[in-house]
Amino acid sequence: MDSYRFGSPQTVLLTAALGVSVLVGCRNTGRQSPVLSPAAAPLYSDASPASTVPPPLLLGTDAQTVSPLPESAQAFRPITPETVSTPNTIFPSVPAPKAETASVEPILQKKIDDLSNKIVELEKKLANKEEELKRSLLPTPIPDAPKPISTTAASPPPKTPPVLPAISVAGVSSAIDGEKVRIQIPDSVLFQPGTMRLTPEGEDALRSIASEIRTRYPQGFLDFEGHTDNLQTDPTNATQKHDVASLKSMVVVQYFVQNLQWKPETISTSGFGSSRPLAENGTPEGRAKNNRIEIVVRP
């Protein structure tokens, strides 16, 4: 009775597998009976006489067509290692921070400090530019007017008035004419009567005058002027008086240059004739004063 109730162990296992297959087959109503594939037949070739019982259906497949079951039936498909997702696939792990992150922080901090220093420098430059602009907009002060130059300091020192030479010759006189000195020598002292030859007394008078001029005015310039009266010995010669006056002054100049070694570049001559009389020509005394030689000394 026990053997009938339970049977052999193989029979028990087959019966349990068959029950599971039937349970799954009931879920898919209307399907055909399962057909084993030729590849599955050898699995039961050596089985006992009870092997005629069809093999159990595989979970997740149709027992008749051996095709994948629909998603509703896939829930009963046995879980295999291939279908289990690893934790890394479902929840990808976040890589741990590398050691380089710690080394980047000082570099970033240095860049921030550099930028801060540059900003400070730019602010200083901007402040300087603003100060320069304010100064340029200020009104320019008007410079003080130049002080007038003192006329006392700019004016040349006062000139020393000329000094009359001390000439002790009879008939010779001297006078101050502005900044010049005039020395007057009558013809009666210099020339022989009716001629233009110097007398010994005339030569002595010229030497005395030249010595006094050299002492008083060593850098002076001399101008020899010839003068005559108005008597005309030749009415046809209009320039007779001027010619005579010029000749007389040339005689005196020649003596200064040849006998007294005077520098010619400091001497000039001119003849005025009867244009500058000192007295009336109506008397012999007046005419004697008008016939003369004047030495003008210009200090």
Side-chain angles (χ1 to χ4, degrees):
M1 183 175 179
D2 293 334
S3 60
Y4 172 76
R5 190 175 179 177
F6 298 100
S8 63
Q10 293 180 355
T11 305
V12 174
L13 291 175
L14 291 175
T15 304
L18 179 61
V20 173
S21 299
V22 170
L23 179 62
V24 174
C26 291
R27 295 175 61 88
N28 298 297
T29 306
R31 295 183 179 178
Q32 297 179 359
S33 60
V35 179
L36 295 176
S37 62
L43 295 175
Y44 303 95
S45 59
D46 296 333
S48 60
S51 62
T52 57
V53 179
L57 295 175
L58 296 177
L59 295 178
T61 58
D62 192 337
Q64 184 175 1
T65 61
V66 197
S67 61
L69 296 175
E71 293 181 359
S72 59
Q74 291 288 339
F76 298 94
R77 186 175 182 179
I79 299 175
T80 59
E82 290 79 3
T83 61
V84 178
S85 300
T86 60
N88 292 337
T89 304
I90 299 173
F91 303 102
S93 61
V94 178
K98 297 182 180 180
E100 295 180 356
T101 306
S103 62
V104 171
E105 293 181 357
I107 297 175
L108 293 176
Q109 185 63 36
K110 185 177 182 303
K111 290 184 177 180
I112 293 172
D113 295 340
D114 294 341
L115 290 176
S116 300
N117 295 333
K118 289 182 179 179
I119 291 172
V120 172
E121 292 179 359
L122 291 175
E123 289 178 350
K124 290 181 179 180
K125 291 182 179 180
L126 180 60
N128 294 334
K129 291 293 183 182
E130 291 179 352
E131 188 66 22
E132 292 178 0
L133 181 60
K134 290 180 181 178
R135 292 178 181 177
S136 63
L137 294 177
L138 293 176
T140 305
I142 300 173
D144 298 335
K147 296 181 179 180
I149 301 174
S150 176
T151 56
T152 304
S155 60
K159 295 182 179 180
T160 304
V163 180
L164 291 174
I167 301 172
S168 57
V169 176
V172 177
S173 64
S174 62
I176 296 176
D177 183 9
E179 296 180 356
K180 299 177 288 184
V181 176
R182 287 183 175 273
I183 303 173
Q184 298 172 353
I185 311 170
D187 285 357
S188 58
V189 175
L190 291 174
F191 303 104
Q192 297 177 7
T195 66
M196 290 186 183
R197 291 192 297 269
L198 293 175
T199 62
E201 294 79 5
E203 293 179 0
D204 293 340
L206 291 179
R207 282 194 295 268
S208 177
I209 293 170
S211 176
E212 189 67 18
I213 293 173
R214 279 197 175 105
T215 303
R216 301 286 184 180
Y217 311 105
Q219 302 297 329
F221 188 85
L222 305 183
D223 187 12
F224 293 83
E225 298 178 357
H227 300 273
T228 64
D229 57 22
N230 62 351
L231 293 179
Q232 188 74 19
T233 59
D234 186 3
T236 60
N237 187 2
T239 62
Q240 179 183 5
K241 295 299 181 179
H242 289 84
D243 293 341
V244 172
S246 297
L247 289 174
K248 289 191 301 182
S249 64
M250 288 296 299
V251 171
V252 178
V253 168
Q254 186 176 3
Y255 185 84
F256 264 72
V257 174
Q258 294 180 355
N259 297 86
L260 304 177
Q261 288 78 40
W262 211 274
K263 295 179 180 179
E265 60 270 16
T266 62
I267 294 176
S268 66
T269 62
S270 57
F272 292 95
S274 60
S275 61
R276 295 180 180 181
L278 294 178
E280 294 293 336
N281 289 312
T283 62
E285 292 79 8
R287 290 192 294 269
K289 290 182 178 179
N290 293 334
N291 291 306
R292 70 195 183 275
I293 293 293
E294 291 187 2
I295 301 175
V296 181
V297 183
R298 292 182 288 173

